[in-house]
Amino acid sequence: MRITTIYEGTSEIMQWTVSRDRWRLHLQEHGQYYKKIAASLEALHREDPNVGADAAALAVNVVQETAERCRIGRLTRNQHVLFELGELMTRAEIAANFARYGRGRSAPKYQPFFAPAALKAMSRICAREAALDVLGLAVRLVRGMDAVDDAGIADFERALRASAITACAKGLMADMDVVARPWWSKTPLAPSRAERE
């Protein structure tokens, strides 16, 4: 019997792959790549304010601002920075895709398994947690690399829209209850036959 070896570093390879590809797009599109994604999420939020697209847009904005600070400060010369950027980019893009999925904008073959109310609550949870997490990672990365001095930290926080991200945490526990309730109340999370048709 052969046992496959699992190498440490697999996650780092994924972080490197994501950051390398997205970093290239960020440079090629002159910083517009994530701005376009954020704008599309803001439009999605206007269309359906219940899928967490606003929080996902905030997370994507953090990635945009962080990537730009890394470009200006030439921080990507450090491998650690590329790994952290990969983490930031992945978290924000997952939130963005979940918001689209919650609105029903995924590929036709991916039919929702959960009832629409539960799916939208899950999407909001994902977006809020992504926004809060990437904010912390961005501050740790850019401030930790001394790319922002004491005088510029307030401007950096404004650019990250830190207060809006903090405010978007409101309702997180209530949404978690919406998702958890079926497990202890025996209410089905799956869509009914009428919802599927």
Side-chain angles (χ1 to χ4, degrees):
M1 174 193 222
R2 183 176 176 193
I3 299 173
T4 304
T5 304
I6 299 174
Y7 294 98
E8 276 195 47
T10 304
S11 62
E12 285 84 1
I13 293 168
M14 291 304 298
Q15 288 172 329
W16 167 256
T17 303
V18 170
S19 66
R20 181 195 61 210
D21 293 345
R22 293 303 192 258
W23 180 250
R24 187 178 300 133
L25 285 170
H26 177 75
L27 296 177
Q28 287 172 347
E29 297 191 19
H30 305 287
Q32 296 301 307
Y33 180 73
Y34 283 108
K35 284 184 180 179
K36 290 175 188 173
I37 295 174
S40 72
L41 288 167
E42 288 165 0
L44 180 61
H45 177 67
R46 287 189 294 275
E47 186 181 315
D48 186 348
N50 296 316
V51 294
D54 56 339
L58 290 170
V60 170
N61 176 65
V62 169
V63 174
Q64 159 61 32
E65 291 296 329
T66 304
E68 192 57 19
R69 295 288 177 138
C70 288
R71 182 191 67 79
I72 293 166
R74 299 179 180 219
L75 302 184
T76 54
R77 293 177 177 181
N78 298 287
Q79 189 179 47
H80 171 73
V81 172
L82 282 170
F83 287 165
E84 291 296 313
L85 278 176
E87 182 74 23
L88 282 170
M89 293 164 173
T90 302
R91 291 297 305 273
E93 289 187 41
I94 288 170
N97 286 325
F98 205 156
R100 292 185 197 107
Y101 180 70
R103 180 63 181 135
R105 292 219 179 135
S106 57
K109 65 181 179 179
Y110 297 120
Q111 293 299 316
F113 176 77
F114 298 103
L119 185 64
K120 289 182 178 187
M122 290 175 190
S123 178
R124 291 190 302 269
I125 291 166
C126 179
R128 286 180 178 125
E129 289 189 342
L132 292 164
D133 290 348
V134 298
L135 176 64
L137 281 169
V139 171
R140 187 178 76 201
L141 180 64
V142 176
R143 181 68 168 159
M145 294 291 292
D146 297 325
V148 176
D149 59 14
D150 293 340
I153 193 68
D155 289 337
F156 183 54
E157 288 175 352
R158 272 192 296 279
L160 294 178
R161 300 178 64 191
S163 59
I165 291 173
T166 304
C168 87
K170 181 180 179 186
L172 179 60
M173 190 56 67
D175 279 339
M176 293 174 113
D177 286 343
V178 167
V179 174
R181 189 171 295 119
W183 302 117
W184 50 264
S185 69
K186 306 297 186 226
T187 306
L189 261 179
S192 66
R193 183 174 299 202
E195 289 173 323
R196 284 193 302 256
E197 296 170 353

